[in-house]
Every structure is written in C-alpha cells, then in structure tokens.
Amino acid sequence: MRDFHFPGRSAVHSTNAMVATSHPLATEAAMQILREGGTAMDAAIAGSAVMAVVEPQMTGIGGDCFALLAGRSGPVVAFNGSGRAASAASAARLRDHGHTDVPIDSVHAVTMPGAIDGWFRLHARFGSLEMARLLRPAIGYARGGYPVHARVARDWTRAQAHLAKRDATRALFLPAGRSPSEGTIHRQERLADTLDLIARKGPRAFYEGAVAEAMVRTLRSHGGVHTAEDFSAVAGEFVDPIATDHHGRTVHQVPPNNQGITALMMLNLLEGFDIASMRPGSAARLHVEIETARLAYAMRDRQLADLASMTVGVDDILSKSWAAELRRRISPHRATTDIGPLGLRTSGTVYITVVDRDLNAVSFINSIFDSFGSGILCPETGVLFQNRGHSFSLDPDHPNAMMPGKRPMHTIMPGMVTENGRPVLSFGVMGGDYQPIGQARVIADVFGQGLGLQEAIDAPRVFPQDGVVEVERSVPSGVLSDLEDLGHKLRVANDPLGGAQAIRIDHDSGLLTGASDPRKDGQVAAY
C-alpha cells in the first residue's frame, strides 16, 4: 500500500466495466460507449480515435494499430494492423544516396497507414454500435477544439524544431509560431472532415478516392514513391498470437513483425532467477532486468522482421532450453560487456485497455512512432504520416531489410496474460524500444514480487543503451551506487521511460483493478 503522506495515485476498482488510457478525454469517451451498451472493442476504438486527435504527437490515423482480445473463455485473438512499405520502396536507392539507415524524418520512412483499416476490421468482428457513434467524440474534439494537456504540451514543445521544417505542419501545429501551452485550445478542422467522411462512408473513403489522392499528392511532393494502389491495397489481418508460460500463467503477444516476442524472451530468461527473493527496486532486481533485456534486444535486432523474412523460427526464439543456455552468460555480480551495440531509443505512442461488463478484455495500441511521426502533414486531409519505415534496415542481408510491400519490425505491442484460459491482465507499456523491458517489468513485479498494479507501474525505471543504462531520476541514490558497483555505467534519462496502462481481472470475485501511468496524462475510469 502506498504511503498516503505523499502524492500519488490509487488503483481504481470496479465490478462492472473499466477503461484505462493515456488521456482523460479518451477515457471518458470510451466509458460513455460502455455505458451505452457498447462492447470492449467499441470502447477501444472510440478512445483510440479521440487520442488520435488530442495526442497528435503520439498517434493518429496516419499510423498503425495492433490488438489482443480475450473473452471469458476461448482463445486469445491477435490482430496486426501495421502498414507496409510502398511498392516502389528501394533500399538500394537510399544507399546510393549515402544513407546507412532510413532517415527518420523523411518521406522514405512513411509506410502505409494501417489504423483505419484495423479499426473497421476489428469493429466488424467485435463491435456492436455504429462506427459513426464511435468516431463522434473524436470528430467533435477535432472540429470544436480540445484543451492541450500537460504531458502533451511538454512533448509538443520538445518537437518544435521537427514541426517547423515543413510549411503545412508548421501552420497547423505551431500556431503563432510556437507550440501550444497547457490549456490552449487546439483545432484540426481538416482532420475532422476526414474522420466524418470515414464515419459516414467507411474505410474505403480513406484508402480510395479524394482522401487517398490527396495523401499520395502530398507524399510524392516530398519525394515519396507512394501510389494510389499502395493505399487501396492496405489490409490488416487476424493472426495467431504467440505466447510463453511464465510461473503458471500464459503471456500473449502479437507475432513478428511485432517486437512482442522480445518481452517473452525476457520472461523466459528471468524465470531462472529468484525474483521473489529480491527486494523490489533493488540493484539486484534491476541488474537481472538489465542483463536479460540486453540479451533479448540483441536477439531482436539480429532476427526480428516481417515473419516471412525471418531466418530463425518463433519456436526457436522462445525455446526454454535456449533461454537456459543464454542465461549462463549473465552474472549476478557483474554487468555484461560483450553484448555489442543495441541502438535503442525511446519514442511515443498511446495505449488503451478496456474490460466490458461481460469481462471481454481488449488490449489496443495505436501509434505514428516518433514524436509527430515523419512530420509530413497532408494539408487537405489533416493526416499526419507515421515514420515507421525508419525501423527497416538498409543492409540487404538483414531479415528486416527494406523491401517493397514489406512490413518493418514494429515496436508497438499490446500485452495480455491469461490463467486457466481466462484473461487476468490486459496491459501495455508505451515508449518505443522500451516496451519489451517495460512489459517484462510489470509482469515480474505483479506476479513475481506481489506488487500492486499501480505500484508496479509507478516504480522507477531503467533502460539499457549502448554502453550505458538510462535511469529515471526517481531511482534512489543508494540503488544507483549499487548498480555502479556491479559495473553499470549510468545516465539520467532525458525523458520519463515510457508509460503504461493495465487492468487486472479477478474472475472469482468479479473485481477489476485498473492503473494508469503518472508519467503521462492518463486516467482510469469505471462504473
């Protein structure tokens, strides 16, 4: 239990339905859908659409989505709503121009936006209310204006140089020549028009016709090779989730091109350590987290790609025997020095989890990758394009090499934990490359060390980088000293490490427990 002498958050409890998002306006929109009898998926779409307006630095309809769904019984369902590279994308062309990676703020990093297609495919299978009803709050905020919240304002300010590079983006997102401050009312009228058209006419109104033509014109005016056919070909897919057993529970992820397998590998590695005997937040506990993460990320960067391009199978990566072999490289007394460069970085996204009155759980994530994505805005439609293609490799021999029509290795990853076939935790951790270590941390803290859900999300975080470990300022000085004694070089992180939302389900009592990360503007609501 937290010390009530200090500021903090309590977990939220309910026995009916619950929503946890990274923005209070999105939480309220999703809760209203549940009150009207909508499903968990209806609420997730409504909340995600609102965040696509009110958190423009993190998400939007120019990005992608992934989802995991679990009912009271039956298998967990996974959905991959990530877009592909343009049909004329060429790694060789970029190499010929002197690039060693896909420039993060260039049109060449723009992959096809999969979110709108994903919303409609998920709604067709799991929704009940009309899509026009679900998109109404987002349209209202885009047209009538929304107040900029504190974390959004902070991120916006830090992205000013990025936003100033292009005329259309600068005009919309730097009104009066600067980023909006907290409490400023901001509007996106063209985005409202596009969302309204989609609500009335469906996803083809986005991927074909005037909207698609405008998006193609914008991308090609910036030197892109995207075509109308690329947009009309966008199609997400339901896929079989991957999973690992962890101390009597099953942890589910979306398969590659999603990086969720990285968290599963971390959990397999952590199984060999007596986490329960370690003091939460201690140097010993953080040390094994750092060391297992380094090994898992090294695997990710060598092997992860669109599933058809991978040369090592999922079953091999998740082999418990392989985890045991790798674990021998970890010393409990000394930091590893032979992992090699990881090239990790944090970025922003949004996450929403919903549990409805029938205990259907949805774990849903939507993103444009970097802060304000590529920074390329289509002025006619209000669509800001993602830069997910930056994750491609330009090495022609790498499994994740850029190729026409290929999906890049993707960071956003919803999480789901089941026990005896029923969902017991629907959760996600935001923050780009940070997400696998963040998810493994939450699972280990909650199920391995008995921390409360909000307590686990609040706990100070660490993140291994090349030759250094980033630490949040909240890590106690004594722990920092102990980590240095173990051989870790430390650096205070510029930004908070990720964010998180989670809902835990107790099927015996019907109790729902929700938590939302204070590192963002998030909120849990229930009835």
Side-chain angles (χ1 to χ4, degrees):
M1 178 177 292
R2 70 180 178 89
D3 187 338
F4 287 92
H5 282 265
F6 294 91
R9 290 186 178 187
S10 297
V12 176
H13 303 285
S14 175
T15 56
N16 294 306
M18 184 173 285
V19 176
T21 87
S22 57
H23 199 288
L25 298 181
T27 298
E28 176 53 33
M31 275 305 304
Q32 186 57 42
I33 293 298
L34 292 177
R35 292 187 188 101
E36 293 176 18
T39 66
M41 180 51 67
D42 286 332
I45 292 169
S48 185
V50 168
M51 288 188 285
V53 175
V54 303
E55 291 199 68
Q57 86 286 17
M58 297 286 183
T59 189
I61 63 174
D64 291 337
C65 71
F66 289 87
L68 289 169
L69 306 93
R72 195 187 284 263
S73 62
V76 174
V77 177
F79 182 80
N80 183 332
S82 62
R84 301 177 183 272
S87 56
S90 171
R93 187 183 305 120
L94 292 177
R95 290 196 302 270
D96 289 345
H97 283 82
H99 296 293
T100 57
D101 57 18
V102 181
I104 196 167
D105 62 349
S106 78
V107 72
H108 307 295
V110 178
T111 48
M112 294 299 105
I116 291 298
D117 171 81
W119 295 359
F120 276 84
R121 289 181 188 273
L122 289 161
H123 178 260
R125 186 164 170 181
F126 299 105
S128 64
L129 301 184
E130 293 293 326
M131 185 64 85
R133 170 64 189 92
L134 305 185
L135 298 186
R136 188 190 306 159
I139 295 168
Y141 286 124
R143 194 179 309 284
Y146 56 93
V148 175
H149 280 59
R151 176 60 193 270
V152 177
R154 178 186 183 276
D155 294 342
W156 211 318
T157 298
R158 296 169 72 88
Q160 286 184 106
H162 178 47
L163 296 171
K165 293 178 181 178
R166 298 178 174 95
D167 292 344
T169 312
R170 181 172 60 251
L172 178 62
F173 291 114
L174 297 178
R178 61 182 182 274
S179 62
S181 58
E182 181 181 358
T184 300
I185 306 300
H186 188 258
R187 294 175 176 82
Q188 300 184 58
E189 288 93 344
R190 298 290 76 76
L191 180 60
D193 293 340
T194 299
L195 285 168
D196 181 65
L197 184 66
I198 293 166
R200 290 184 289 108
K201 298 190 174 182
R204 288 302 96 193
F206 181 76
Y207 292 104
E208 298 172 358
V211 170
E213 291 166 3
M215 291 192 290
V216 170
R217 281 196 302 273
T218 293
L219 292 170
R220 296 188 77 89
S221 73
H222 286 83
V225 295
H226 310 74
T227 66
E229 291 74 20
D230 291 328
F231 276 89
S232 65
V234 171
E237 56 186 338
F238 289 95
V239 294
D240 293 329
I242 58 174
T244 194
D245 291 330
H246 187 72
H247 294 307
R249 299 173 182 87
T250 304
V251 185
H252 304 264
Q253 297 286 340
V254 179
N257 60 314
N258 191 280
Q259 72 164 342
I261 194 172
T262 315
L264 300 183
M265 184 179 172
M266 271 196 70
L267 291 171
N268 287 346
L269 291 166
L270 284 170
E271 272 190 343
F273 298 95
D274 186 7
I275 295 293
S277 70
M278 299 177 184
R279 181 169 53 83
S282 65
R285 167 71 180 85
L286 297 180
H287 172 70
V288 296
E289 180 176 307
I290 292 164
E291 296 299 284
T292 55
R294 282 175 167 157
L295 291 172
Y297 281 119
M299 176 284 302
R300 185 202 74 167
D301 290 350
R302 287 193 305 267
Q303 305 296 344
L304 248 63
D306 208 353
L307 195 57
S309 298
M310 288 177 58
T311 57
V312 177
V314 168
D315 289 343
D316 294 327
I317 292 173
L318 295 181
S319 164
K320 299 281 188 173
S321 60
W322 190 42
E325 180 181 341
L326 283 176
R327 197 182 300 118
R328 287 196 287 268
R329 298 178 61 183
I330 299 174
S331 165
H333 310 297
R334 198 70 190 163
T336 306
T337 58
D338 61 348
I339 298 297
L342 298 175
L344 301 178
R345 55 188 293 273
T346 57
S347 59
T349 190
V350 301
Y351 171 80
I352 179 172
T353 179
V354 184
V355 177
D356 64 24
R357 59 189 175 188
D358 296 319
L359 297 186
N360 298 304
V362 172
S363 184
F364 192 96
I365 196 161
N366 208 104
S367 174
I368 55 172
F369 194 29
D370 211 49
S371 184
F372 289 96
S374 65
I376 299 173
L377 175 80
C378 176
E380 298 161 85
T381 65
V383 175
L384 184 67
F385 296 104
Q386 65 183 350
N387 56 345
R388 188 58 63 175
H390 174 67
S391 294
F392 277 124
S393 172
L394 293 185
D395 177 355
D397 297 323
H398 196 285
N400 190 40
M402 173 186 272
M403 292 178 63
K406 183 178 180 180
R407 286 173 168 146
M409 190 280 291
H410 218 293
T411 57
I412 61 174
M413 43 183 283
M416 186 76 71
V417 181
T418 60
E419 188 173 354
N420 298 321
R422 299 186 296 184
V424 293
L425 181 66
S426 178
F427 77 117
V429 176
M430 300 160 277
D433 291 331
Y434 177 77
Q435 292 175 71
I437 187 174
Q439 284 205 16
R441 152 73 74 88
V442 169
I443 291 171
D445 280 358
V446 171
F447 297 117
Q449 297 201 286
L451 269 64
L453 201 56
Q454 188 66 54
E455 185 182 12
I457 286 176
D458 290 352
R461 294 172 179 167
V462 298
F463 186 32
Q465 305 284 319
D466 291 343
V468 70
V469 178
E470 288 196 339
V471 298
E472 292 185 326
R473 288 197 295 270
S474 53
V475 178
S477 59
V479 173
L480 297 177
S481 178
D482 290 343
L483 284 172
E484 289 175 332
D485 289 343
L486 289 167
H488 295 288
K489 296 180 180 179
L490 308 179
R491 177 179 69 210
V492 176
N494 290 327
D495 296 308
L497 295 173
Q501 273 80 240
I503 299 176
R504 190 169 182 179
I505 306 167
D506 185 328
H507 289 272
D508 292 333
S509 66
L511 180 69
L512 305 177
T513 299
S516 185
D517 205 319
R519 294 168 179 83
K520 301 191 74 174
D521 298 316
Q523 180 181 2
V524 182
Y527 76 90

